[in-house]
Amino acid sequence: ETAMNKFGDCLYMRKRRLGEKHEDVASVLYAMGFTLLNKEEYERSMSFFEEALIIRIDVFGVKHSLVGDTYNIMGCIEKTREKLDKALVFLTKAFQIREQIGEILKASDTLEIIGEIHQEQCNLKEAVDCYEDSLRMRRSELGDKHDKVADALISLGTVRYDMSLHDSAMANYKEALEIRRDVYGDFDDRVASVQQNIGIMQFRAGNLTEAKHHLDDFVKIRRVNKTKEAADYVNILSMIGNIHRINGDETQAKAAWSEALEIFKHIGLAKENPELARTLDNLLESPDPAEKQNTVIGKISVNLLGEK
């Protein structure tokens, strides 16, 4: 509130000196909206962005970068509030402005958000169209070896996987993996996240050797970086245990499940999810191969393939 009070004083002085319709007034309103956005006060923040938008259209006309920026952030807020139809209206206007004035990378960012909304609404064909156009724009502006290109490939791979286009999805993910390796090196957590998703896809497809290769790389990177342990790590260890059991290596399977259970308890998930803790306990005791499907896979983290 201290910041908002100072912005309020600044706004009052600028309105007195410059009048109501001036970009310096709009910039303060925008900053006030952004401050409230950071505090997750979405409804209040929208009122300031709306006022800033009116001034900017009046001062600059519709086809201006600042107008596009304001539409974009308003669309993102409405997406966060799950008002998806309103979000699409604002984001579509932002995209059109950004494309028309030549802000291609900004336009690609907006398209990716529009694609996410279509994906949430299960309009998967529309989502693919958005992600493909975003990818094309990024390749054109940045070349093939850039992390924003990898981001677009992952988004495209995710929706294609949802459409059961598994070969196309895998191709997207593997290209994203190579880009992130080129950009960040082999032992970066952003590389690990792609290894994780490829490993899960391969496991679900029954390609166990390929799955284990990628999942082992994920674990190796996380251990090297001493990344904070989380549910996704437990999930992958459980999956690796499954692969060992399917391959008949009960000792390695139980080693992976034991580590998963230890971490599961250490990070406090056992208290929140006692049934899942019991599932892991049972796995360590059960010799029945049919139990390989009765694990925490898909229960702790349902949408692992949505990660970027």
Side-chain angles (χ1 to χ4, degrees), residues 51-98:
E51 192 174 348
L53 177 65
I54 292 168
I55 295 171
R56 286 175 167 175
I57 292 174
D58 187 69
V59 172
F60 300 115
V62 174
K63 294 181 182 180
H64 191 276
S65 178
L66 292 174
V67 175
D69 291 348
T70 311
Y71 273 127
N72 195 77
I73 200 165
M74 290 168 70
C76 290
I77 292 170
E78 296 294 50
K79 178 177 181 286
T80 301
R81 298 169 76 190
E82 298 185 352
K83 297 184 177 182
L84 300 185
D85 290 337
K86 289 186 69 175
L88 281 174
V89 170
F90 289 129
L91 290 167
T92 299
K93 289 180 179 179
F95 168 71
Q96 291 169 344
I97 293 166
R98 288 173 162 184

Short mmCIF file of all heavy atoms in Angstrom, two decimals, residues 51-98:
data_model
loop_
_atom_site.label_atom_id
_atom_site.label_comp_id
_atom_site.label_asym_id
_atom_site.label_seq_id
_atom_site.Cartn_x
_atom_site.Cartn_y
_atom_site.Cartn_z
N GLU A 51 -8.14 1.96 -17.52
CA GLU A 51 -8.01 3.42 -17.64
C GLU A 51 -6.78 3.80 -18.45
O GLU A 51 -6.83 4.71 -19.28
CB GLU A 51 -7.95 4.05 -16.24
CG GLU A 51 -8.11 5.56 -16.26
CD GLU A 51 -8.19 6.17 -14.87
OE1 GLU A 51 -8.33 5.42 -13.88
OE2 GLU A 51 -8.09 7.42 -14.79
N ALA A 52 -5.68 3.06 -18.22
CA ALA A 52 -4.47 3.31 -19.00
C ALA A 52 -4.72 3.03 -20.48
O ALA A 52 -4.24 3.78 -21.37
CB ALA A 52 -3.33 2.45 -18.49
N LEU A 53 -5.46 1.97 -20.78
CA LEU A 53 -5.75 1.61 -22.17
C LEU A 53 -6.53 2.71 -22.87
O LEU A 53 -6.23 3.08 -24.02
CB LEU A 53 -6.53 0.30 -22.20
CG LEU A 53 -6.97 -0.20 -23.57
CD1 LEU A 53 -5.76 -0.55 -24.43
CD2 LEU A 53 -7.90 -1.40 -23.45
N ILE A 54 -7.56 3.24 -22.20
CA ILE A 54 -8.37 4.30 -22.81
C ILE A 54 -7.52 5.50 -23.18
O ILE A 54 -7.64 6.07 -24.27
CB ILE A 54 -9.51 4.70 -21.85
CG1 ILE A 54 -10.52 3.55 -21.71
CG2 ILE A 54 -10.21 5.97 -22.33
CD1 ILE A 54 -11.52 3.74 -20.58
N ILE A 55 -6.64 5.89 -22.27
CA ILE A 55 -5.76 7.04 -22.53
C ILE A 55 -4.82 6.74 -23.69
O ILE A 55 -4.62 7.57 -24.59
CB ILE A 55 -4.95 7.41 -21.27
CG1 ILE A 55 -5.89 7.90 -20.17
CG2 ILE A 55 -3.89 8.46 -21.59
CD1 ILE A 55 -5.21 8.07 -18.82
N ARG A 56 -4.24 5.55 -23.70
CA ARG A 56 -3.26 5.22 -24.74
C ARG A 56 -3.90 5.16 -26.13
O ARG A 56 -3.29 5.60 -27.11
CB ARG A 56 -2.55 3.91 -24.38
CG ARG A 56 -1.56 4.11 -23.26
CD ARG A 56 -0.91 2.84 -22.75
NE ARG A 56 0.24 3.19 -21.89
CZ ARG A 56 0.97 2.31 -21.22
NH1 ARG A 56 0.70 1.01 -21.30
NH2 ARG A 56 1.99 2.72 -20.48
N ILE A 57 -5.10 4.62 -26.22
CA ILE A 57 -5.79 4.62 -27.51
C ILE A 57 -6.10 6.05 -27.94
O ILE A 57 -5.96 6.40 -29.12
CB ILE A 57 -7.08 3.78 -27.42
CG1 ILE A 57 -6.74 2.30 -27.25
CG2 ILE A 57 -7.94 3.98 -28.67
CD1 ILE A 57 -7.95 1.40 -27.02
N ASP A 58 -6.48 6.88 -26.99
CA ASP A 58 -6.79 8.27 -27.30
C ASP A 58 -5.56 9.03 -27.76
O ASP A 58 -5.62 9.85 -28.69
CB ASP A 58 -7.40 8.95 -26.06
CG ASP A 58 -7.90 10.35 -26.36
OD1 ASP A 58 -8.89 10.47 -27.10
OD2 ASP A 58 -7.29 11.33 -25.86
N VAL A 59 -4.40 8.76 -27.13
CA VAL A 59 -3.17 9.48 -27.44
C VAL A 59 -2.50 8.94 -28.70
O VAL A 59 -2.05 9.70 -29.57
CB VAL A 59 -2.19 9.41 -26.25
CG1 VAL A 59 -0.83 9.98 -26.62
CG2 VAL A 59 -2.76 10.15 -25.05
N PHE A 60 -2.41 7.60 -28.82
CA PHE A 60 -1.60 6.98 -29.87
C PHE A 60 -2.41 6.35 -31.00
O PHE A 60 -1.86 6.04 -32.05
CB PHE A 60 -0.71 5.88 -29.27
CG PHE A 60 0.23 6.35 -28.22
CD1 PHE A 60 0.11 5.92 -26.91
CD2 PHE A 60 1.26 7.25 -28.52
CE1 PHE A 60 0.99 6.34 -25.92
CE2 PHE A 60 2.14 7.68 -27.55
CZ PHE A 60 2.00 7.23 -26.24
N GLY A 61 -3.71 6.12 -30.78
CA GLY A 61 -4.46 5.29 -31.71
C GLY A 61 -4.30 3.83 -31.34
O GLY A 61 -3.56 3.47 -30.43
N VAL A 62 -5.01 2.98 -32.06
CA VAL A 62 -5.04 1.56 -31.70
C VAL A 62 -3.73 0.87 -32.03
O VAL A 62 -3.24 0.04 -31.25
CB VAL A 62 -6.21 0.85 -32.41
CG1 VAL A 62 -6.16 -0.64 -32.16
CG2 VAL A 62 -7.55 1.42 -31.93
N LYS A 63 -3.13 1.17 -33.15
CA LYS A 63 -1.95 0.44 -33.61
C LYS A 63 -0.67 1.03 -33.01
O LYS A 63 0.10 1.72 -33.67
CB LYS A 63 -1.88 0.46 -35.14
CG LYS A 63 -3.01 -0.31 -35.80
CD LYS A 63 -2.89 -0.29 -37.32
CE LYS A 63 -4.06 -1.01 -37.99
NZ LYS A 63 -3.94 -0.99 -39.46
N HIS A 64 -0.49 0.75 -31.73
CA HIS A 64 0.71 1.25 -31.04
C HIS A 64 1.18 0.18 -30.06
O HIS A 64 0.38 -0.56 -29.46
CB HIS A 64 0.39 2.54 -30.30
CG HIS A 64 1.61 3.25 -29.79
ND1 HIS A 64 2.21 2.93 -28.58
CD2 HIS A 64 2.37 4.24 -30.33
CE1 HIS A 64 3.26 3.71 -28.39
NE2 HIS A 64 3.37 4.51 -29.44
N SER A 65 2.50 0.12 -29.87
CA SER A 65 3.11 -0.90 -29.02
C SER A 65 2.53 -0.88 -27.60
O SER A 65 2.23 -1.93 -27.02
CB SER A 65 4.62 -0.71 -28.96
OG SER A 65 5.22 -1.64 -28.10
N LEU A 66 2.36 0.30 -27.03
CA LEU A 66 1.87 0.39 -25.65
C LEU A 66 0.42 -0.07 -25.53
O LEU A 66 0.02 -0.63 -24.50
CB LEU A 66 2.01 1.82 -25.14
CG LEU A 66 3.45 2.31 -24.93
CD1 LEU A 66 3.48 3.80 -24.56
CD2 LEU A 66 4.15 1.49 -23.86
N VAL A 67 -0.36 0.15 -26.58
CA VAL A 67 -1.73 -0.34 -26.59
C VAL A 67 -1.72 -1.88 -26.63
O VAL A 67 -2.46 -2.54 -25.89
CB VAL A 67 -2.51 0.24 -27.78
CG1 VAL A 67 -3.91 -0.38 -27.86
CG2 VAL A 67 -2.61 1.76 -27.66
N GLY A 68 -0.86 -2.43 -27.49
CA GLY A 68 -0.73 -3.88 -27.56
C GLY A 68 -0.29 -4.48 -26.24
O GLY A 68 -0.81 -5.52 -25.80
N ASP A 69 0.66 -3.83 -25.58
CA ASP A 69 1.14 -4.32 -24.28
C ASP A 69 0.02 -4.33 -23.25
O ASP A 69 -0.08 -5.25 -22.43
CB ASP A 69 2.28 -3.44 -23.77
CG ASP A 69 3.56 -3.59 -24.60
OD1 ASP A 69 3.64 -4.53 -25.41
OD2 ASP A 69 4.47 -2.76 -24.42
N THR A 70 -0.81 -3.29 -23.28
CA THR A 70 -1.89 -3.19 -22.29
C THR A 70 -2.96 -4.25 -22.54
O THR A 70 -3.43 -4.91 -21.60
CB THR A 70 -2.50 -1.78 -22.31
OG1 THR A 70 -1.46 -0.80 -22.25
CG2 THR A 70 -3.42 -1.58 -21.12
N TYR A 71 -3.34 -4.44 -23.80
CA TYR A 71 -4.28 -5.51 -24.12
C TYR A 71 -3.72 -6.86 -23.68
O TYR A 71 -4.44 -7.72 -23.15
CB TYR A 71 -4.57 -5.55 -25.62
CG TYR A 71 -5.68 -4.65 -26.08
CD1 TYR A 71 -5.48 -3.73 -27.12
CD2 TYR A 71 -6.96 -4.73 -25.52
CE1 TYR A 71 -6.51 -2.90 -27.57
CE2 TYR A 71 -7.99 -3.92 -25.97
CZ TYR A 71 -7.76 -3.01 -26.99
OH TYR A 71 -8.79 -2.19 -27.43
N ASN A 72 -2.41 -7.06 -23.89
CA ASN A 72 -1.81 -8.35 -23.58
C ASN A 72 -1.87 -8.65 -22.09
O ASN A 72 -2.25 -9.76 -21.68
CB ASN A 72 -0.35 -8.37 -24.06
CG ASN A 72 0.22 -9.77 -24.12
OD1 ASN A 72 -0.07 -10.54 -25.03
ND2 ASN A 72 1.04 -10.12 -23.13
N ILE A 73 -1.51 -7.67 -21.28
CA ILE A 73 -1.49 -7.94 -19.84
C ILE A 73 -2.92 -8.11 -19.31
O ILE A 73 -3.15 -8.93 -18.41
CB ILE A 73 -0.72 -6.84 -19.08
CG1 ILE A 73 -0.29 -7.38 -17.70
CG2 ILE A 73 -1.53 -5.56 -18.94
CD1 ILE A 73 0.76 -6.52 -17.03
N MET A 74 -3.87 -7.39 -19.90
CA MET A 74 -5.26 -7.57 -19.48
C MET A 74 -5.75 -8.98 -19.85
O MET A 74 -6.47 -9.61 -19.07
CB MET A 74 -6.14 -6.50 -20.14
CG MET A 74 -5.89 -5.10 -19.57
SD MET A 74 -6.66 -3.79 -20.56
CE MET A 74 -8.40 -4.09 -20.20
N GLY A 75 -5.34 -9.46 -21.01
CA GLY A 75 -5.70 -10.82 -21.39
C GLY A 75 -5.10 -11.86 -20.46
O GLY A 75 -5.76 -12.85 -20.11
N CYS A 76 -3.85 -11.63 -20.05
CA CYS A 76 -3.20 -12.57 -19.13
C CYS A 76 -3.90 -12.59 -17.78
O CYS A 76 -4.03 -13.66 -17.16
CB CYS A 76 -1.72 -12.19 -18.96
SG CYS A 76 -0.71 -12.51 -20.42
N ILE A 77 -4.35 -11.43 -17.32
CA ILE A 77 -5.08 -11.39 -16.05
C ILE A 77 -6.38 -12.17 -16.15
O ILE A 77 -6.72 -12.97 -15.27
CB ILE A 77 -5.35 -9.93 -15.63
CG1 ILE A 77 -4.04 -9.22 -15.26
CG2 ILE A 77 -6.33 -9.87 -14.46
CD1 ILE A 77 -4.19 -7.73 -15.07
N GLU A 78 -7.11 -11.95 -17.25
CA GLU A 78 -8.39 -12.66 -17.40
C GLU A 78 -8.16 -14.17 -17.53
O GLU A 78 -8.97 -14.97 -17.04
CB GLU A 78 -9.15 -12.13 -18.62
CG GLU A 78 -9.57 -10.66 -18.48
CD GLU A 78 -10.60 -10.42 -17.39
OE1 GLU A 78 -10.40 -10.87 -16.24
OE2 GLU A 78 -11.61 -9.76 -17.68
N LYS A 79 -7.05 -14.56 -18.14
CA LYS A 79 -6.71 -15.99 -18.20
C LYS A 79 -6.46 -16.54 -16.80
O LYS A 79 -6.93 -17.63 -16.45
CB LYS A 79 -5.47 -16.19 -19.07
CG LYS A 79 -5.00 -17.65 -19.17
CD LYS A 79 -3.82 -17.75 -20.12
CE LYS A 79 -3.33 -19.20 -20.26
NZ LYS A 79 -2.60 -19.66 -19.09
N THR A 80 -5.74 -15.78 -15.99
CA THR A 80 -5.47 -16.20 -14.61
C THR A 80 -6.76 -16.31 -13.82
O THR A 80 -6.91 -17.21 -12.98
CB THR A 80 -4.52 -15.19 -13.93
OG1 THR A 80 -3.30 -15.12 -14.67
CG2 THR A 80 -4.22 -15.61 -12.49
N ARG A 81 -7.70 -15.41 -14.10
CA ARG A 81 -9.00 -15.44 -13.42
C ARG A 81 -9.94 -16.48 -14.02
O ARG A 81 -11.09 -16.59 -13.58
CB ARG A 81 -9.65 -14.05 -13.50
CG ARG A 81 -8.85 -12.95 -12.82
CD ARG A 81 -9.41 -11.57 -13.17
NE ARG A 81 -10.63 -11.27 -12.46
CZ ARG A 81 -11.41 -10.23 -12.72
NH1 ARG A 81 -11.09 -9.39 -13.72
NH2 ARG A 81 -12.50 -10.00 -12.02
N GLU A 82 -9.46 -17.21 -15.03
CA GLU A 82 -10.23 -18.25 -15.71
C GLU A 82 -11.43 -17.69 -16.46
O GLU A 82 -12.41 -18.41 -16.71
CB GLU A 82 -10.65 -19.36 -14.73
CG GLU A 82 -9.44 -20.07 -14.11
CD GLU A 82 -9.83 -21.24 -13.23
OE1 GLU A 82 -11.04 -21.41 -12.98
OE2 GLU A 82 -8.93 -21.97 -12.81
N LYS A 83 -11.34 -16.42 -16.83
CA LYS A 83 -12.35 -15.83 -17.72
C LYS A 83 -11.79 -15.92 -19.13
O LYS A 83 -11.33 -14.93 -19.72
CB LYS A 83 -12.64 -14.39 -17.31
CG LYS A 83 -13.25 -14.28 -15.91
CD LYS A 83 -13.62 -12.85 -15.56
CE LYS A 83 -14.30 -12.77 -14.20
NZ LYS A 83 -14.72 -11.39 -13.86
N LEU A 84 -11.83 -17.14 -19.68
CA LEU A 84 -11.06 -17.44 -20.87
C LEU A 84 -11.59 -16.74 -22.12
O LEU A 84 -10.81 -16.35 -23.00
CB LEU A 84 -11.01 -18.96 -21.08
CG LEU A 84 -10.36 -19.76 -19.94
CD1 LEU A 84 -10.27 -21.23 -20.31
CD2 LEU A 84 -8.98 -19.20 -19.58
N ASP A 85 -12.90 -16.60 -22.25
CA ASP A 85 -13.45 -15.93 -23.44
C ASP A 85 -13.04 -14.46 -23.46
O ASP A 85 -12.66 -13.94 -24.53
CB ASP A 85 -14.97 -16.07 -23.47
CG ASP A 85 -15.41 -17.50 -23.76
OD1 ASP A 85 -14.63 -18.26 -24.35
OD2 ASP A 85 -16.55 -17.85 -23.38
N LYS A 86 -13.10 -13.79 -22.32
CA LYS A 86 -12.66 -12.40 -22.26
C LYS A 86 -11.16 -12.31 -22.52
O LYS A 86 -10.68 -11.39 -23.19
CB LYS A 86 -12.98 -11.80 -20.89
CG LYS A 86 -14.46 -11.54 -20.65
CD LYS A 86 -14.71 -10.80 -19.36
CE LYS A 86 -14.21 -9.38 -19.41
NZ LYS A 86 -14.57 -8.61 -18.18
N ALA A 87 -10.42 -13.27 -21.99
CA ALA A 87 -8.97 -13.29 -22.21
C ALA A 87 -8.67 -13.38 -23.70
O ALA A 87 -7.78 -12.67 -24.21
CB ALA A 87 -8.34 -14.47 -21.47
N LEU A 88 -9.40 -14.23 -24.41
CA LEU A 88 -9.16 -14.38 -25.85
C LEU A 88 -9.43 -13.08 -26.61
O LEU A 88 -8.71 -12.76 -27.56
CB LEU A 88 -10.04 -15.50 -26.41
CG LEU A 88 -9.55 -16.93 -26.18
CD1 LEU A 88 -10.58 -17.94 -26.66
CD2 LEU A 88 -8.21 -17.17 -26.86
N VAL A 89 -10.43 -12.34 -26.18
CA VAL A 89 -10.73 -11.06 -26.84
C VAL A 89 -9.55 -10.10 -26.71
O VAL A 89 -9.07 -9.52 -27.70
CB VAL A 89 -12.01 -10.43 -26.25
CG1 VAL A 89 -12.19 -9.00 -26.78
CG2 VAL A 89 -13.22 -11.28 -26.58
N PHE A 90 -9.05 -9.94 -25.49
CA PHE A 90 -7.94 -9.02 -25.26
C PHE A 90 -6.66 -9.51 -25.96
O PHE A 90 -5.93 -8.72 -26.57
CB PHE A 90 -7.67 -8.87 -23.77
CG PHE A 90 -8.72 -8.09 -23.02
CD1 PHE A 90 -9.29 -8.60 -21.86
CD2 PHE A 90 -9.15 -6.86 -23.47
CE1 PHE A 90 -10.25 -7.89 -21.16
CE2 PHE A 90 -10.11 -6.13 -22.79
CZ PHE A 90 -10.67 -6.65 -21.63
N LEU A 91 -6.38 -10.80 -25.85
CA LEU A 91 -5.15 -11.33 -26.42
C LEU A 91 -5.17 -11.30 -27.94
O LEU A 91 -4.13 -11.06 -28.57
CB LEU A 91 -4.92 -12.75 -25.91
CG LEU A 91 -4.55 -12.84 -24.43
CD1 LEU A 91 -4.66 -14.28 -23.94
CD2 LEU A 91 -3.14 -12.30 -24.17
N THR A 92 -6.33 -11.54 -28.52
CA THR A 92 -6.44 -11.46 -29.98
C THR A 92 -6.15 -10.04 -30.46
O THR A 92 -5.44 -9.84 -31.46
CB THR A 92 -7.83 -11.92 -30.45
OG1 THR A 92 -8.03 -13.27 -30.06
CG2 THR A 92 -7.97 -11.81 -31.96
N LYS A 93 -6.67 -9.04 -29.75
CA LYS A 93 -6.37 -7.65 -30.10
C LYS A 93 -4.88 -7.36 -29.94
O LYS A 93 -4.27 -6.70 -30.79
CB LYS A 93 -7.20 -6.70 -29.24
CG LYS A 93 -8.69 -6.71 -29.58
CD LYS A 93 -9.47 -5.75 -28.69
CE LYS A 93 -10.95 -5.75 -29.06
NZ LYS A 93 -11.74 -4.84 -28.20
N ALA A 94 -4.29 -7.86 -28.87
CA ALA A 94 -2.85 -7.66 -28.65
C ALA A 94 -2.04 -8.29 -29.77
O ALA A 94 -1.09 -7.68 -30.30
CB ALA A 94 -2.43 -8.26 -27.31
N PHE A 95 -2.40 -9.52 -30.15
CA PHE A 95 -1.68 -10.20 -31.24
C PHE A 95 -1.79 -9.42 -32.54
O PHE A 95 -0.80 -9.22 -33.25
CB PHE A 95 -2.22 -11.62 -31.43
CG PHE A 95 -1.73 -12.26 -32.70
CD1 PHE A 95 -0.40 -12.66 -32.81
CD2 PHE A 95 -2.58 -12.41 -33.79
CE1 PHE A 95 0.06 -13.23 -34.00
CE2 PHE A 95 -2.12 -12.97 -34.96
CZ PHE A 95 -0.80 -13.38 -35.07
N GLN A 96 -3.00 -8.99 -32.88
CA GLN A 96 -3.20 -8.27 -34.14
C GLN A 96 -2.37 -7.00 -34.19
O GLN A 96 -1.74 -6.70 -35.22
CB GLN A 96 -4.69 -7.96 -34.32
CG GLN A 96 -5.53 -9.19 -34.59
CD GLN A 96 -7.02 -8.93 -34.51
OE1 GLN A 96 -7.46 -7.89 -33.97
NE2 GLN A 96 -7.82 -9.84 -35.03
N ILE A 97 -2.35 -6.26 -33.09
CA ILE A 97 -1.56 -5.03 -33.05
C ILE A 97 -0.08 -5.34 -33.19
O ILE A 97 0.64 -4.72 -33.98
CB ILE A 97 -1.82 -4.26 -31.74
CG1 ILE A 97 -3.25 -3.74 -31.71
CG2 ILE A 97 -0.82 -3.11 -31.57
CD1 ILE A 97 -3.71 -3.25 -30.33
N ARG A 98 0.40 -6.29 -32.43
CA ARG A 98 1.82 -6.62 -32.43
C ARG A 98 2.28 -7.12 -33.80
O ARG A 98 3.36 -6.77 -34.26
CB ARG A 98 2.11 -7.65 -31.33
CG ARG A 98 2.02 -7.05 -29.95
CD ARG A 98 2.13 -8.07 -28.83
NE ARG A 98 2.45 -7.39 -27.57
CZ ARG A 98 2.70 -8.00 -26.43
NH1 ARG A 98 2.62 -9.34 -26.35
NH2 ARG A 98 2.99 -7.31 -25.34
#
